[in-house]
Amino acid sequence: MLHSLKKPDKIRALGVMALNGMFDEMDAKGVLRQALTDVLAGDVAIVSSFGADSAVLLHMVSEIDPSLPIYFLETGKHFPETLAYVETLKQRLGLTNIISLTPDPADLAQFDPGGTLWETDPDSCCHIRKTEPLEPALEKFGGWVTGRKRYQTAERGVLPHFELTSDDRIKVNPLAYWSDAEVIAYREAHQLPEHPLYAKGFKSIGCAPCTSAVGEGEDARAGRWRGLDKKECGIHFDFNGAIASPLAKTEHNLWKHDAFIADPFTPWADAYQPATARYTHVPLKTFIAHRAAFLANPHPLGLLVEAGDAIEDVESDLGRFASVAIAFPAFTDGRGYTTARLLTERFQYTGEIRAIGDVLQDQIPLMRRCGINAFVVTHGPTRHALEEGHLPEVALFYQPTGSTELPVGTRPFLRRPSPVKPETESA
Ligand code: SF4
């Protein structure tokens, strides 16, 4: 019997290319109307920063359907003027479905307890305050609308009306071809309220600590993360930060939630420092050798458990790690299964547990039974099986795992997963 898994929609990529061809000459409102009422009708959300020129897109949305869901990333770091502007536009445009997304308090407590992560690690700050809250909200939709424009930065200079993201969603950019002058003209023609900071030189407005006014001749977004080599907050990262291109997909190796997705973690390198490393799986022995420095490190980290490592040695520190990577050096090496079961059953670890190394199609169901919920897969046939939704089911096993599998049957060494118990019939 085969599990049915989500199959990537390759036709969608070609469809997005066709959409760009069909609607290339259409004006912004026409593109938006097509997206909201036809291409993605009932399956689309708006994401707005309520920044300097958000009023234009939101005005167009309000004229098509003011009840559409509009997500606002309430990072906890906005200017008070921006929070006031959310209310101003809501009232002026009659928007009835603005949804504020806030960071997970547990993430803030773990990674940004002092609220200063933006100073030392803005990528991680954006990740926990923007990307993480937005992802589950957008999971419900086949696409979302942004207000990005080509003129804003060189990186956005090739922005199309329709993009296909790496998770097969369609991102719609109705204002992609607009100039700064057109935004201003539209705002004036429709007498839309201006963001209170716009007149003070803030031409692109994000979180207060990371936004400054721009001078004459500067890019509109030059005041964002000024002085840093950072241009985007992360929610628009795709294909390693590039603007998404319909057919130029980067191959991702991390299989999670039934899809290959971008991996925020990179392998540990000797040059990394315990106090500053981030988004990497620290080898268990290295962690123990520099435990105090790693515990003082504010950035998201994972733990690498290699064959022969004892996970019990770091039991009290497991809460420090967002992910635990278990190495499977060979198909025949079963020590990783024991580590996974200790993590889930004895230590109640609830973060990501990923398998790395020799991860093959037949092992994945067994790994899942032990609590492994992510897989780094480079083996071609296994990748193909996952993409096509073909995984073998484990019908017989020798040892039950966790509390969900009870030994049944007459021979204790050959067991089956417990069937759902029938209701007891009353006599
Ligand atoms: S823009 Fe700055 S404060 Fe806001 S989430 Fe990103 S790094 Fe943090």
Side-chain angles (χ1 to χ4, degrees):
M1 185 176 171
L2 301 174
H3 286 299
S4 174
L5 300 178
K6 184 181 159 196
K7 190 175 177 178
D9 188 351
K10 289 170 186 162
I11 299 296
R12 216 166 160 86
L14 291 168
V16 166
M17 291 189 79
L19 285 173
N20 279 315
M22 285 162 62
F23 301 121
D24 193 49
E25 299 294 322
M26 190 174 269
D27 65 17
K29 195 161 176 188
V31 170
L32 184 63
R33 189 181 295 282
Q34 282 294 331
L36 300 184
T37 63
D38 185 5
V39 178
L40 290 164
D43 194 23
V44 63
I46 320 295
V47 178
S48 178
S49 65
F50 286 83
D53 48 21
S54 297
V56 172
L57 180 68
L58 294 176
H59 179 258
M60 292 180 182
V61 169
S62 72
E63 292 201 321
I64 297 170
D65 182 355
S67 70
L68 281 166
I70 298 170
Y71 288 102
F72 169 59
L73 289 162
E74 212 316 24
T75 61
K77 293 289 180 185
H78 282 295
F79 291 103
E81 289 89 339
T82 298
L83 302 181
Y85 194 49
V86 174
E87 282 308 308
T88 302
L89 289 183
K90 180 179 172 183
Q91 300 303 329
R92 164 72 174 76
L93 302 177
L95 302 170
T96 60
N97 197 7
I98 297 175
I99 303 155
S100 291
L101 298 173
T102 54
D104 181 343
D107 276 350
L108 293 181
Q110 183 173 3
F111 300 122
D112 193 10
T116 55
L117 187 57
W118 62 271
E119 280 183 301
T120 54
D121 185 357
D123 283 343
S124 295
C125 185
C126 281
H127 186 77
I128 61 175
R129 292 179 185 272
K130 296 181 176 179
T131 311
E132 288 276 337
L134 185 60
E135 276 178 357
L138 292 183
E139 256 174 23
K140 303 191 282 275
F141 300 100
W144 47 300
V145 180
T146 86
R148 291 177 300 160
K149 302 157 204 75
R150 288 184 167 200
Y151 79 83
Q152 291 172 315
T153 62
E155 289 76 12
R156 293 183 178 182
V158 295
L159 194 67
H161 278 145
F162 296 92
E163 295 172 84
L164 186 67
T165 64
S166 56
D167 56 359
D168 278 323
R169 287 198 176 78
I170 297 175
K171 212 188 280 188
V172 188
N173 311 300
L175 304 177
Y177 297 172
W178 277 41
S179 67
D180 188 25
E182 286 173 299
V183 172
I184 294 169
Y186 186 99
R187 205 166 55 211
E188 290 176 354
H190 294 274
Q191 299 183 322
L192 300 176
E194 194 176 273
H195 191 292
L197 295 175
Y198 186 79
K200 296 179 181 172
F202 292 79
K203 304 298 185 208
S204 173
I205 302 167
C207 294
C210 304
T211 305
S212 56
V214 295
E216 252 337 283
E218 280 192 305
D219 271 356
R221 288 176 65 85
R224 305 287 292 276
W225 302 285
R226 192 181 281 283
L228 298 179
D229 183 23
K230 178 173 168 68
K231 302 280 186 253
E232 299 280 2
C233 63
I235 65 170
H236 296 305
F237 274 5
D238 209 344
F239 308 104
N240 296 324
I243 298 300
S245 158
L247 289 181
K249 276 192 166 188
T250 295
E251 190 173 81
H252 298 308
N253 291 329
L254 180 63
W255 177 263
K256 191 173 176 183
H257 303 316
D258 293 341
F260 281 106
I261 61 172
D263 188 350
F265 285 85
T266 55
W268 174 260
D270 288 342
Y272 289 169
Q273 298 299 315
T276 55
R278 55 182 165 153
Y279 286 106
T280 185
H281 287 93
V282 183
L284 186 142
K285 291 185 181 69
T286 305
F287 173 76
I288 292 172
H290 305 279
R291 180 174 177 272
F294 278 116
L295 291 181
N297 177 333
H299 310 313
L301 286 173
L303 178 72
L304 170 62
V305 186
E306 293 173 290
D309 284 343
I311 189 71
E312 298 92 325
D313 292 348
V314 292
E315 176 187 348
S316 61
D317 296 321
L318 287 173
R320 169 66 185 86
F321 301 106
S323 168
V324 175
I326 301 176
F328 287 80
F331 177 71
T332 50
D333 192 325
R335 287 173 289 183
Y337 296 101
T338 305
T339 299
R341 290 190 58 186
L342 285 171
L343 279 168
T344 55
E345 295 171 27
R346 186 187 298 178
F347 304 138
Q348 311 293 312
Y349 178 75
T350 55
E352 176 189 276
I353 305 177
R354 63 168 65 184
I356 64 172
D358 204 13
V359 179
L360 302 177
Q361 179 181 350
D362 290 347
Q363 293 170 286
I364 290 175
L366 303 170
M367 290 171 169
R368 279 183 162 157
R369 289 180 60 235
C370 296
I372 294 173
N373 50 30
F375 307 86
V376 176
V377 183
T378 54
H379 180 248
T382 301
R383 292 182 63 89
H384 185 69
L386 288 166
E387 284 168 346
E388 295 299 315
H390 300 319
L391 276 185
E393 187 177 84
V394 183
L396 299 174
F397 54 86
Y398 296 98
Q399 292 175 307
T401 61
S403 57
T404 57
E405 294 180 348
L406 298 174
V408 295
T410 54
R411 291 181 296 168
F413 54 87
L414 193 63
R415 308 176 196 278
R416 293 177 188 277
S418 298
V420 176
K421 284 185 181 171
E423 298 269 340
T424 307
E425 287 182 16
S426 46

